Amino acid sequence: MITSMDSLKEDLKKQIIEQLNLEDLTVADIADDALLFNDQGLGLDSIDALELIVLLEKYHGIQLTNPEEGKEAFKSVNTMAEYIRKRKEA
Amino acid sequence: MKVITAYCNLRADECLVNGELVARRDAGSEDSWFKQIYRKQGLTYPKFYKMDVLSQAGYLASELIKRANPGITGAYADDEIAMVFANASSSAETDRRFTQSYKDGGSPSPSLFVYTLPNIVLGEIAILNKWFGENMFAVLPNFAPGFYLNYGQILFGSGSRALLGGWLEVTANTTDVFLFTVEDKGGNVEFNRENLLRLSQAAAQVTS
């Protein structure tokens, strides 16, 4: 059964590919728990962190102003989805 | 004597290392040609997906050269391997995509902007391999062996002991990549104009 969280994670992967111009990647290439800023994961860097902040605002209407929150939220697709869920519930 | 110790030709539909075919493009695949090579060769470097096409080409060709010439990675200090690259179109392909990102997204894309210089490919290879020797990227009308010979002579005369040279012309319609290593050791492929021209046009060797 596809849950709304599963659907959110799928959307997030598509948005990451789109926003970060990772056109050689597919949704299937990104694991839910892959570390986004680790060389074993997606190998993102500080420029990409800016893109993720833009992504949150552009697609989800969430403004991330506290850098410490971003550190935790941008660990993986799982943590991003959880962060979005909590912010929307708040 | 300075000799060419390994070389890689990357074209629109085939990839050769030392004249041997290592990958042929699968026209039916949904993957880009460079992604096909990356996967078929079992390479693992997630940053590959973030690079622009010029950097992807340089990364792939340099990794394949390292496989063909594994000794080069440990034989020199990190500032003894120099890199000299050139092409005709600079980073025009990424520049165009960056400009387009204004129109499509309403704001420019930082992840594209960081690749709007051709010498970024040198940085990508240097960081990955910790090769911190001299490097430069020239924009020239055509592949010019004399450029590599003249500049190589200056580099070898000022402390460099190995050279990764290359022509990386990658646009929407062109894939013309030729990378080579030059070292001071035994061998019969002298680092000269004739050999550079010949190897840049290498055809796949037929093996039976």
Side-chain angles (χ1 to χ4, degrees):
Chain A
M1 188 178 77
I2 298 175
T3 66
S4 59
M5 273 302 265
D6 290 334
S7 166
L8 174 57
K9 287 175 196 172
E10 288 288 293
D11 288 345
L12 267 175
K13 290 175 189 177
K14 288 177 192 161
Q15 290 155 8
I16 288 170
I17 289 167
E18 166 86 19
Q19 188 69 30
L20 276 64
N21 295 288
L22 300 169
E23 59 200 34
D24 272 341
L25 278 179
T26 63
V27 167
D29 291 324
I30 306 175
D32 290 356
D33 59 353
L35 295 175
L36 301 179
F37 288 86
N38 183 294
D39 279 348
Q40 304 305 312
L42 285 194
L44 303 186
D45 58 25
S46 55
I47 296 286
D48 301 309
L50 290 176
E51 297 274 31
L52 292 181
I53 292 170
V54 172
L55 180 157
L56 278 184
E57 185 158 4
K58 182 171 156 187
Y59 292 100
H60 303 279
I62 294 172
Q63 281 196 330
L64 194 150
T65 49
N66 181 353
E68 286 304 310
E69 272 187 15
K71 221 171 169 181
E72 188 59 34
F74 295 153
K75 271 187 177 171
S76 66
V77 169
N78 274 341
T79 60
M80 280 187 78
E82 187 60 26
Y83 178 76
I84 291 167
R85 188 186 65 78
K86 280 184 183 167
R87 284 289 301 260
K88 289 197 168 168
E89 278 178 3
Chain B
M1 184 175 76
K2 302 291 186 294
V3 294
I4 298 169
T5 46
Y7 61 100
C8 175
N9 307 84
L10 179 50
R11 300 183 181 125
D13 56 7
E14 61 180 17
C15 176
L16 284 63
V17 177
N18 291 343
E20 289 185 19
L21 189 70
V22 297
R24 189 182 292 283
R25 183 175 197 157
D26 175 1
S29 171
E30 289 184 357
D31 291 338
S32 71
W33 170 216
F34 290 168
K35 186 179 178 184
Q36 288 179 35
I37 298 171
Y38 176 81
R39 289 198 153 170
K40 279 180 186 169
Q41 296 301 312
L43 296 166
T44 309
Y45 189 49
K47 211 177 169 199
F48 171 81
Y49 293 111
K50 293 180 52 201
M51 296 175 185
D52 71 329
V53 286
L54 200 60
S55 296
Q56 285 186 337
Y59 163 78
L60 289 171
S62 60
E63 285 300 296
L64 294 174
I65 279 182
K66 273 163 52 190
R67 282 188 179 174
N69 183 11
I72 196 165
T73 52
Y76 304 101
D78 61 9
D79 60 350
E80 289 179 337
I81 301 179
M83 289 189 281
V84 180
F85 287 6
N87 76 2
S89 300
S90 186
S91 57
E93 179 61 20
T94 306
D95 297 350
R96 186 191 58 72
R97 293 188 60 212
F98 177 65
T99 305
Q100 190 65 35
S101 73
Y102 279 91
K103 296 174 188 166
D104 294 343
S107 62
S109 165
S111 61
L112 288 176
F113 176 71
V114 295
Y115 287 100
T116 54
L117 282 172
N119 55 332
I120 300 300
V121 59
L122 294 166
E124 293 282 10
I125 295 171
I127 290 166
L128 172 62
N129 295 290
K130 297 184 172 55
W131 291 346
F132 302 131
E134 296 282 340
N135 67 69
M136 73 107 68
F137 197 115
V139 178
L140 307 170
N142 303 104
F143 175 68
F147 164 71
Y148 301 98
L149 293 167
N150 292 336
Y151 201 68
Q153 195 172 20
I154 293 169
L155 291 168
F156 282 120
S158 57
S160 298
R161 294 181 57 216
L163 170 70
L164 176 67
W167 176 256
L168 289 104
E169 178 70 354
V170 185
T171 68
N173 304 314
T174 309
T175 302
D176 181 14
V177 175
F178 170 54
L179 252 60
F180 54 90
T181 47
V182 179
E183 296 169 84
D184 194 355
K185 60 201 293 190
N188 55 10
V189 187
E190 190 178 347
F191 179 44
N192 62 29
R193 185 180 304 269
E194 292 70 31
N195 283 333
L196 281 175
L197 270 178
R198 178 174 60 84
L199 299 180
S200 71
Q201 295 156 12
Q205 291 171 2
V206 179
T207 52
S208 54

Short mmCIF file of all heavy atoms in Angstrom, two decimals, chain B residues 1-7 65 69 72 75-76 80-84 131 145 148-149 151-153 155-156 160-166 178-186 189-192 195-196 199:
data_model
loop_
_atom_site.label_atom_id
_atom_site.label_comp_id
_atom_site.label_asym_id
_atom_site.label_seq_id
_atom_site.Cartn_x
_atom_site.Cartn_y
_atom_site.Cartn_z
N MET B 1 63.46 9.73 -21.84
CA MET B 1 62.61 10.19 -22.94
C MET B 1 61.16 10.31 -22.46
O MET B 1 60.67 9.46 -21.73
CB MET B 1 62.70 9.18 -24.10
CG MET B 1 61.92 9.61 -25.33
SD MET B 1 62.15 8.50 -26.73
CE MET B 1 61.13 7.11 -26.29
N LYS B 2 60.50 11.34 -22.89
CA LYS B 2 59.09 11.52 -22.53
C LYS B 2 58.23 10.67 -23.46
O LYS B 2 58.32 10.80 -24.69
CB LYS B 2 58.68 12.99 -22.66
CG LYS B 2 59.51 13.95 -21.81
CD LYS B 2 59.23 13.77 -20.34
CE LYS B 2 59.94 14.79 -19.50
NZ LYS B 2 61.42 14.70 -19.51
N VAL B 3 57.42 9.81 -22.84
CA VAL B 3 56.59 8.92 -23.66
C VAL B 3 55.12 9.02 -23.23
O VAL B 3 54.81 9.35 -22.08
CB VAL B 3 57.05 7.44 -23.55
CG1 VAL B 3 58.42 7.25 -24.14
CG2 VAL B 3 57.02 6.97 -22.11
N ILE B 4 54.25 8.72 -24.16
CA ILE B 4 52.82 8.64 -23.87
C ILE B 4 52.56 7.25 -23.30
O ILE B 4 52.82 6.24 -23.96
CB ILE B 4 51.98 8.89 -25.15
CG1 ILE B 4 52.26 10.30 -25.68
CG2 ILE B 4 50.49 8.72 -24.85
CD1 ILE B 4 51.71 10.56 -27.06
N THR B 5 52.09 7.20 -22.05
CA THR B 5 52.00 5.90 -21.37
C THR B 5 50.58 5.31 -21.37
O THR B 5 50.41 4.12 -21.10
CB THR B 5 52.51 6.03 -19.92
OG1 THR B 5 51.94 7.20 -19.33
CG2 THR B 5 54.02 6.14 -19.89
N ALA B 6 49.58 6.12 -21.62
CA ALA B 6 48.20 5.61 -21.73
C ALA B 6 47.37 6.70 -22.40
O ALA B 6 47.72 7.89 -22.34
CB ALA B 6 47.63 5.27 -20.37
N TYR B 7 46.27 6.29 -23.03
CA TYR B 7 45.41 7.30 -23.64
C TYR B 7 43.98 6.77 -23.76
O TYR B 7 43.74 5.55 -23.73
CB TYR B 7 45.94 7.73 -25.02
CG TYR B 7 46.03 6.64 -26.05
CD1 TYR B 7 45.05 6.51 -27.03
CD2 TYR B 7 47.09 5.74 -26.05
CE1 TYR B 7 45.14 5.50 -27.99
CE2 TYR B 7 47.18 4.73 -27.00
CZ TYR B 7 46.20 4.61 -27.96
OH TYR B 7 46.28 3.62 -28.90
N ILE B 65 41.95 5.96 -17.84
CA ILE B 65 43.40 6.02 -18.03
C ILE B 65 44.12 5.48 -16.78
O ILE B 65 45.10 4.76 -16.88
CB ILE B 65 43.83 7.47 -18.34
CG1 ILE B 65 43.58 7.76 -19.81
CG2 ILE B 65 45.30 7.70 -17.99
CD1 ILE B 65 44.01 9.13 -20.26
N ASN B 69 46.82 2.57 -16.54
CA ASN B 69 48.15 2.98 -16.10
C ASN B 69 48.12 3.17 -14.59
O ASN B 69 48.32 4.28 -14.08
CB ASN B 69 48.52 4.30 -16.82
CG ASN B 69 49.92 4.77 -16.48
OD1 ASN B 69 50.70 4.04 -15.87
ND2 ASN B 69 50.24 5.99 -16.86
N ILE B 72 50.60 5.23 -12.12
CA ILE B 72 50.75 6.68 -12.08
C ILE B 72 50.23 7.28 -10.77
O ILE B 72 50.71 8.31 -10.32
CB ILE B 72 50.06 7.34 -13.30
CG1 ILE B 72 50.55 8.79 -13.47
CG2 ILE B 72 48.54 7.32 -13.17
CD1 ILE B 72 50.22 9.39 -14.81
N ALA B 75 53.10 6.87 -8.06
CA ALA B 75 54.51 7.06 -8.43
C ALA B 75 55.02 8.48 -8.20
O ALA B 75 56.22 8.72 -8.23
CB ALA B 75 54.71 6.68 -9.89
N TYR B 76 54.10 9.41 -7.99
CA TYR B 76 54.52 10.81 -7.93
C TYR B 76 53.94 11.51 -6.70
O TYR B 76 52.88 11.12 -6.19
CB TYR B 76 54.06 11.55 -9.20
CG TYR B 76 54.56 10.90 -10.46
CD1 TYR B 76 53.72 10.09 -11.22
CD2 TYR B 76 55.87 11.08 -10.88
CE1 TYR B 76 54.18 9.47 -12.37
CE2 TYR B 76 56.35 10.46 -12.03
CZ TYR B 76 55.49 9.66 -12.78
OH TYR B 76 55.95 9.03 -13.90
N GLU B 80 53.41 16.72 -8.42
CA GLU B 80 54.28 16.38 -9.56
C GLU B 80 53.51 15.97 -10.81
O GLU B 80 54.09 15.75 -11.85
CB GLU B 80 55.24 15.25 -9.16
CG GLU B 80 56.31 15.71 -8.17
CD GLU B 80 57.25 14.59 -7.76
OE1 GLU B 80 56.87 13.39 -7.85
OE2 GLU B 80 58.37 14.90 -7.32
N ILE B 81 52.19 15.82 -10.68
CA ILE B 81 51.38 15.49 -11.86
C ILE B 81 50.67 16.76 -12.32
O ILE B 81 49.85 17.33 -11.58
CB ILE B 81 50.35 14.38 -11.55
CG1 ILE B 81 51.07 13.11 -11.08
CG2 ILE B 81 49.50 14.09 -12.78
CD1 ILE B 81 50.14 11.97 -10.73
N ALA B 82 51.01 17.21 -13.50
CA ALA B 82 50.40 18.42 -14.06
C ALA B 82 49.27 18.05 -15.00
O ALA B 82 49.22 16.92 -15.50
CB ALA B 82 51.46 19.23 -14.80
N MET B 83 48.37 18.98 -15.20
CA MET B 83 47.28 18.74 -16.14
C MET B 83 47.16 19.91 -17.13
O MET B 83 47.19 21.08 -16.70
CB MET B 83 45.96 18.57 -15.39
CG MET B 83 45.88 17.28 -14.61
SD MET B 83 44.23 16.97 -13.94
CE MET B 83 44.25 18.04 -12.52
N VAL B 84 47.05 19.57 -18.39
CA VAL B 84 46.91 20.58 -19.44
C VAL B 84 45.79 20.15 -20.37
O VAL B 84 45.93 19.18 -21.11
CB VAL B 84 48.22 20.75 -20.24
CG1 VAL B 84 48.03 21.81 -21.31
CG2 VAL B 84 49.36 21.13 -19.33
N TRP B 131 45.73 15.48 -6.95
CA TRP B 131 46.81 15.90 -7.86
C TRP B 131 46.82 17.42 -7.85
O TRP B 131 45.97 18.06 -8.46
CB TRP B 131 46.54 15.41 -9.29
CG TRP B 131 46.65 13.92 -9.46
CD1 TRP B 131 47.21 13.02 -8.58
CD2 TRP B 131 46.21 13.14 -10.57
NE1 TRP B 131 47.14 11.75 -9.09
CE2 TRP B 131 46.54 11.79 -10.31
CE3 TRP B 131 45.59 13.46 -11.78
CZ2 TRP B 131 46.23 10.76 -11.19
CZ3 TRP B 131 45.30 12.44 -12.65
CH2 TRP B 131 45.63 11.10 -12.38
N PRO B 145 48.62 19.62 -31.30
CA PRO B 145 49.68 18.90 -30.58
C PRO B 145 50.78 19.82 -30.07
O PRO B 145 51.32 19.62 -28.98
CB PRO B 145 50.21 17.94 -31.65
CG PRO B 145 49.08 17.73 -32.58
CD PRO B 145 48.34 19.03 -32.62
N TYR B 148 50.44 21.15 -26.48
CA TYR B 148 50.78 20.22 -25.39
C TYR B 148 52.30 20.02 -25.30
O TYR B 148 52.85 19.91 -24.21
CB TYR B 148 50.09 18.87 -25.59
CG TYR B 148 48.59 18.98 -25.65
CD1 TYR B 148 47.93 19.01 -26.88
CD2 TYR B 148 47.82 19.07 -24.49
CE1 TYR B 148 46.55 19.14 -26.94
CE2 TYR B 148 46.45 19.19 -24.55
CZ TYR B 148 45.81 19.23 -25.79
OH TYR B 148 44.45 19.36 -25.85
N LEU B 149 52.94 19.97 -26.46
CA LEU B 149 54.39 19.77 -26.48
C LEU B 149 55.12 20.97 -25.87
O LEU B 149 56.00 20.82 -25.02
CB LEU B 149 54.88 19.53 -27.91
CG LEU B 149 54.40 18.23 -28.56
CD1 LEU B 149 54.66 18.24 -30.05
CD2 LEU B 149 55.08 17.03 -27.91
N TYR B 151 53.87 23.47 -23.92
CA TYR B 151 53.54 23.71 -22.52
C TYR B 151 54.08 22.57 -21.64
O TYR B 151 54.54 22.81 -20.53
CB TYR B 151 52.03 23.88 -22.34
CG TYR B 151 51.69 24.61 -21.06
CD1 TYR B 151 52.01 25.96 -20.92
CD2 TYR B 151 51.09 23.96 -19.99
CE1 TYR B 151 51.74 26.62 -19.74
CE2 TYR B 151 50.81 24.62 -18.82
CZ TYR B 151 51.13 25.95 -18.70
OH TYR B 151 50.87 26.61 -17.53
N GLY B 152 54.04 21.36 -22.18
CA GLY B 152 54.59 20.21 -21.45
C GLY B 152 56.07 20.41 -21.16
O GLY B 152 56.56 20.09 -20.08
N GLN B 153 56.77 20.96 -22.15
CA GLN B 153 58.21 21.20 -21.98
C GLN B 153 58.45 22.18 -20.82
O GLN B 153 59.34 21.97 -20.00
CB GLN B 153 58.76 21.79 -23.28
CG GLN B 153 60.26 21.75 -23.38
CD GLN B 153 60.73 22.16 -24.76
OE1 GLN B 153 60.01 22.81 -25.52
NE2 GLN B 153 61.95 21.79 -25.10
N LEU B 155 56.43 22.67 -18.29
CA LEU B 155 56.06 22.02 -17.03
C LEU B 155 57.12 21.03 -16.57
O LEU B 155 57.50 21.00 -15.40
CB LEU B 155 54.72 21.29 -17.21
CG LEU B 155 53.50 22.20 -17.39
CD1 LEU B 155 52.30 21.40 -17.85
CD2 LEU B 155 53.19 22.92 -16.09
N PHE B 156 57.61 20.22 -17.51
CA PHE B 156 58.64 19.24 -17.14
C PHE B 156 59.94 19.95 -16.74
O PHE B 156 60.74 19.40 -15.99
CB PHE B 156 58.90 18.27 -18.30
CG PHE B 156 57.84 17.21 -18.43
CD1 PHE B 156 57.08 17.09 -19.58
CD2 PHE B 156 57.59 16.32 -17.39
CE1 PHE B 156 56.09 16.11 -19.70
CE2 PHE B 156 56.61 15.34 -17.50
CZ PHE B 156 55.86 15.24 -18.66
N SER B 160 57.39 19.41 -12.74
CA SER B 160 56.39 18.36 -13.00
C SER B 160 57.09 17.11 -13.51
O SER B 160 58.05 17.19 -14.27
CB SER B 160 55.37 18.83 -14.03
OG SER B 160 54.66 19.95 -13.55
N ARG B 161 56.61 15.95 -13.10
CA ARG B 161 57.23 14.69 -13.54
C ARG B 161 56.28 13.84 -14.38
O ARG B 161 56.69 12.86 -15.00
CB ARG B 161 57.72 13.91 -12.33
CG ARG B 161 58.87 14.62 -11.60
CD ARG B 161 59.36 13.82 -10.42
NE ARG B 161 59.79 12.49 -10.81
CZ ARG B 161 59.63 11.39 -10.07
NH1 ARG B 161 59.03 11.47 -8.89
NH2 ARG B 161 60.06 10.22 -10.49
N ALA B 162 55.01 14.17 -14.35
CA ALA B 162 54.03 13.47 -15.19
C ALA B 162 52.98 14.48 -15.64
O ALA B 162 52.78 15.52 -14.99
CB ALA B 162 53.37 12.33 -14.41
N LEU B 163 52.36 14.16 -16.76
CA LEU B 163 51.39 15.09 -17.33
C LEU B 163 50.14 14.34 -17.76
O LEU B 163 50.23 13.28 -18.39
CB LEU B 163 52.03 15.77 -18.55
CG LEU B 163 51.14 16.62 -19.45
CD1 LEU B 163 50.72 17.90 -18.73
CD2 LEU B 163 51.88 16.98 -20.74
N LEU B 164 49.00 14.87 -17.38
CA LEU B 164 47.73 14.39 -17.94
C LEU B 164 47.27 15.48 -18.89
O LEU B 164 46.95 16.59 -18.45
CB LEU B 164 46.69 14.15 -16.84
CG LEU B 164 45.29 13.73 -17.33
CD1 LEU B 164 45.33 12.35 -17.98
CD2 LEU B 164 44.28 13.72 -16.18
N GLY B 165 47.29 15.17 -20.17
CA GLY B 165 46.90 16.16 -21.16
C GLY B 165 45.60 15.76 -21.81
O GLY B 165 45.20 14.58 -21.76
N GLY B 166 44.94 16.71 -22.41
CA GLY B 166 43.70 16.31 -23.05
C GLY B 166 42.97 17.35 -23.84
O GLY B 166 43.13 18.56 -23.63
N PHE B 178 40.00 13.28 -25.95
CA PHE B 178 41.26 12.53 -26.07
C PHE B 178 42.14 12.93 -24.89
O PHE B 178 42.58 14.06 -24.80
CB PHE B 178 41.94 12.86 -27.41
CG PHE B 178 43.35 12.33 -27.53
CD1 PHE B 178 43.64 10.98 -27.32
CD2 PHE B 178 44.40 13.19 -27.84
CE1 PHE B 178 44.94 10.51 -27.43
CE2 PHE B 178 45.70 12.72 -27.96
CZ PHE B 178 45.97 11.38 -27.75
N LEU B 179 42.33 12.00 -23.97
CA LEU B 179 43.18 12.26 -22.80
C LEU B 179 44.38 11.32 -22.85
O LEU B 179 44.24 10.17 -23.30
CB LEU B 179 42.40 12.02 -21.49
CG LEU B 179 42.03 13.27 -20.68
CD1 LEU B 179 41.15 14.18 -21.51
CD2 LEU B 179 41.30 12.88 -19.41
N PHE B 180 45.50 11.78 -22.36
CA PHE B 180 46.71 10.96 -22.40
C PHE B 180 47.63 11.31 -21.23
O PHE B 180 47.57 12.43 -20.70
CB PHE B 180 47.46 11.16 -23.73
CG PHE B 180 47.77 12.61 -24.02
CD1 PHE B 180 48.97 13.19 -23.60
CD2 PHE B 180 46.86 13.41 -24.69
CE1 PHE B 180 49.24 14.52 -23.85
CE2 PHE B 180 47.13 14.75 -24.95
CZ PHE B 180 48.33 15.31 -24.52
N THR B 181 48.44 10.35 -20.84
CA THR B 181 49.45 10.61 -19.81
C THR B 181 50.83 10.59 -20.46
O THR B 181 51.09 9.80 -21.37
CB THR B 181 49.39 9.56 -18.69
OG1 THR B 181 49.34 8.25 -19.25
CG2 THR B 181 48.19 9.77 -17.80
N VAL B 182 51.68 11.45 -19.95
CA VAL B 182 53.07 11.53 -20.43
C VAL B 182 53.99 11.39 -19.23
O VAL B 182 53.78 12.05 -18.19
CB VAL B 182 53.35 12.89 -21.12
CG1 VAL B 182 54.81 12.96 -21.58
CG2 VAL B 182 52.41 13.10 -22.29
N GLU B 183 54.96 10.48 -19.36
CA GLU B 183 55.92 10.27 -18.28
C GLU B 183 57.32 10.11 -18.86
O GLU B 183 57.47 9.84 -20.04
CB GLU B 183 55.54 9.02 -17.48
CG GLU B 183 54.21 9.14 -16.76
CD GLU B 183 53.75 7.80 -16.21
OE1 GLU B 183 54.17 7.44 -15.11
OE2 GLU B 183 52.97 7.11 -16.90
N ASP B 184 58.29 10.24 -17.98
CA ASP B 184 59.68 10.08 -18.39
C ASP B 184 60.12 8.66 -18.04
O ASP B 184 60.56 8.39 -16.93
CB ASP B 184 60.54 11.10 -17.63
CG ASP B 184 61.93 11.22 -18.25
OD1 ASP B 184 62.22 10.45 -19.18
OD2 ASP B 184 62.70 12.08 -17.80
N LYS B 185 59.91 7.75 -18.95
CA LYS B 185 60.24 6.36 -18.69
C LYS B 185 60.42 5.61 -20.01
O LYS B 185 60.23 6.20 -21.08
CB LYS B 185 59.17 5.69 -17.83
CG LYS B 185 57.78 5.68 -18.47
CD LYS B 185 56.66 5.48 -17.46
CE LYS B 185 56.65 4.13 -16.81
NZ LYS B 185 55.42 3.88 -16.01
N GLY B 186 60.71 4.34 -19.92
CA GLY B 186 60.89 3.57 -21.15
C GLY B 186 59.57 3.40 -21.90
O GLY B 186 58.50 3.39 -21.30
N VAL B 189 56.31 4.97 -27.49
CA VAL B 189 55.40 5.98 -28.05
C VAL B 189 55.88 7.35 -27.57
O VAL B 189 55.43 7.88 -26.54
CB VAL B 189 53.94 5.74 -27.62
CG1 VAL B 189 53.01 6.69 -28.36
CG2 VAL B 189 53.54 4.30 -27.91
N GLU B 190 56.80 7.89 -28.28
CA GLU B 190 57.40 9.17 -27.89
C GLU B 190 56.35 10.28 -27.87
O GLU B 190 55.40 10.28 -28.68
CB GLU B 190 58.52 9.52 -28.87
CG GLU B 190 59.35 10.70 -28.40
CD GLU B 190 60.50 11.03 -29.36
OE1 GLU B 190 60.78 10.20 -30.25
OE2 GLU B 190 61.07 12.11 -29.21
N PHE B 191 56.51 11.17 -26.92
CA PHE B 191 55.63 12.33 -26.79
C PHE B 191 56.01 13.33 -27.88
O PHE B 191 56.87 14.18 -27.69
CB PHE B 191 55.80 12.91 -25.39
CG PHE B 191 54.98 14.14 -25.10
CD1 PHE B 191 53.65 14.24 -25.47
CD2 PHE B 191 55.54 15.21 -24.40
CE1 PHE B 191 52.89 15.37 -25.17
CE2 PHE B 191 54.79 16.34 -24.08
CZ PHE B 191 53.47 16.43 -24.48
N ASN B 192 55.40 13.16 -29.05
CA ASN B 192 55.70 14.09 -30.15
C ASN B 192 54.43 14.37 -30.96
O ASN B 192 53.36 13.79 -30.71
CB ASN B 192 56.83 13.54 -31.05
CG ASN B 192 56.45 12.22 -31.71
OD1 ASN B 192 55.28 11.94 -31.97
ND2 ASN B 192 57.45 11.38 -31.98
N ASN B 195 52.72 11.32 -32.93
CA ASN B 195 52.01 10.35 -32.08
C ASN B 195 50.75 10.94 -31.48
O ASN B 195 49.73 10.25 -31.36
CB ASN B 195 52.95 9.83 -30.99
CG ASN B 195 53.93 8.80 -31.53
OD1 ASN B 195 53.63 8.12 -32.51
ND2 ASN B 195 55.10 8.70 -30.92
N LEU B 196 50.81 12.20 -31.08
CA LEU B 196 49.60 12.83 -30.54
C LEU B 196 48.49 12.86 -31.59
O LEU B 196 47.33 12.54 -31.30
CB LEU B 196 49.90 14.25 -30.04
CG LEU B 196 50.58 14.36 -28.67
CD1 LEU B 196 50.93 15.81 -28.36
CD2 LEU B 196 49.69 13.79 -27.56
N LEU B 199 47.28 9.13 -32.23
CA LEU B 199 46.50 8.55 -31.14
C LEU B 199 45.17 9.29 -30.93
O LEU B 199 44.18 8.69 -30.52
CB LEU B 199 47.31 8.55 -29.83
CG LEU B 199 48.61 7.74 -29.86
CD1 LEU B 199 49.32 7.80 -28.51
CD2 LEU B 199 48.34 6.29 -30.24
#
